[in-house]
Amino acid sequence: MTEAVSDAVTEAVSVRTLVVVRHAQAGHAPGLPDSERPLTPRGERDARAAGEEIRRLAPALVLCSPSVRTRRTAELLAPGVPAEIERDIYEAYPDDLVGVLRRTDAEIASLVLVGHNPGVHELVTALTGTRLDGFPTCAYAVIEIGVPWEEAGPETGRLIRVGRP
């Protein structure tokens, strides 16, 4: 088999893992902008607990919204894993989130995306064709993506598991 054919076969059968996470519970404070809301003590605990499960998937990268609550959730979920702040995740629609996924380096096999509802909930539905009854704070969905990131889109994924601490 030639190297080019071998690479094409490897690419075709490679399965990527995407973990879609809604940020952990955040507090409200009068006068505080939405993007600056911090996690509550429960949110901190939940993010650490969800991280125990998510770290088993060996994520290579975390993409998260620039909000304080998503950045802190990402830190607690996957300490030591490189994280990139993606402005396009904040207040995003599913199409915006798919755009973020499509820009992911092809070498990344396992990715965590930390964002906000309703976008992350709708992203899970769009990618997998599976309707969820809700997606509360710190919920996460593990999805196998059977195409390269640049081809991610409607129903290109398979829902493996939904969890919540």
Side-chain angles (χ1 to χ4, degrees):
M1 191 177 327
T2 68
E3 189 173 320
V5 172
S6 175
D7 290 346
V9 169
T10 301
E11 185 66 25
V13 297
S14 292
V15 175
R16 288 149 185 79
T17 301
L18 170 64
V19 183
V20 178
V21 182
R22 182 178 176 195
H23 65 78
Q25 185 182 68
H28 294 277
L32 191 64
D34 179 70
S35 64
E36 300 298 315
R37 292 173 44 215
L39 295 184
T40 64
R42 175 184 159 199
E44 296 260 338
R45 282 190 310 275
D46 286 353
R48 281 188 190 91
E52 290 177 20
E53 193 69 28
I54 290 169
R55 284 189 297 277
R56 292 183 186 139
L57 300 170
L61 180 65
V62 176
L63 300 176
C64 74
S65 157
S67 75
V68 168
R69 63 191 178 274
T70 51
R71 289 189 328 229
R72 182 63 179 153
T73 299
E75 290 170 3
L76 295 169
L77 288 173
V81 175
E84 293 180 6
I85 306 304
E86 285 281 347
R87 204 173 60 118
D88 292 344
I89 296 174
Y90 188 70
E91 297 183 338
Y93 292 98
D95 288 345
D96 302 319
L97 297 173
V98 167
V100 170
L101 293 177
R102 288 181 176 168
R103 294 192 304 261
T104 301
D105 188 309
E107 300 295 315
I108 301 294
S110 185
L111 173 69
V112 176
L113 184 145
V114 183
H116 309 267
N117 259 0
V120 291
H121 182 186
E122 293 172 2
L123 175 65
V124 173
T125 298
L127 289 175
T128 67
T130 304
R131 290 210 169 272
L132 303 177
D133 288 334
F135 208 64
T137 56
C138 216
Y140 60 90
V142 179
I143 302 169
E144 284 185 349
I145 304 288
V147 298
W149 293 119
E150 66 189 20
E151 296 175 21
E155 298 192 29
T156 57
R158 184 170 69 93
L159 185 63
I160 302 302
R161 180 174 74 244
V162 176
R164 182 170 185 246

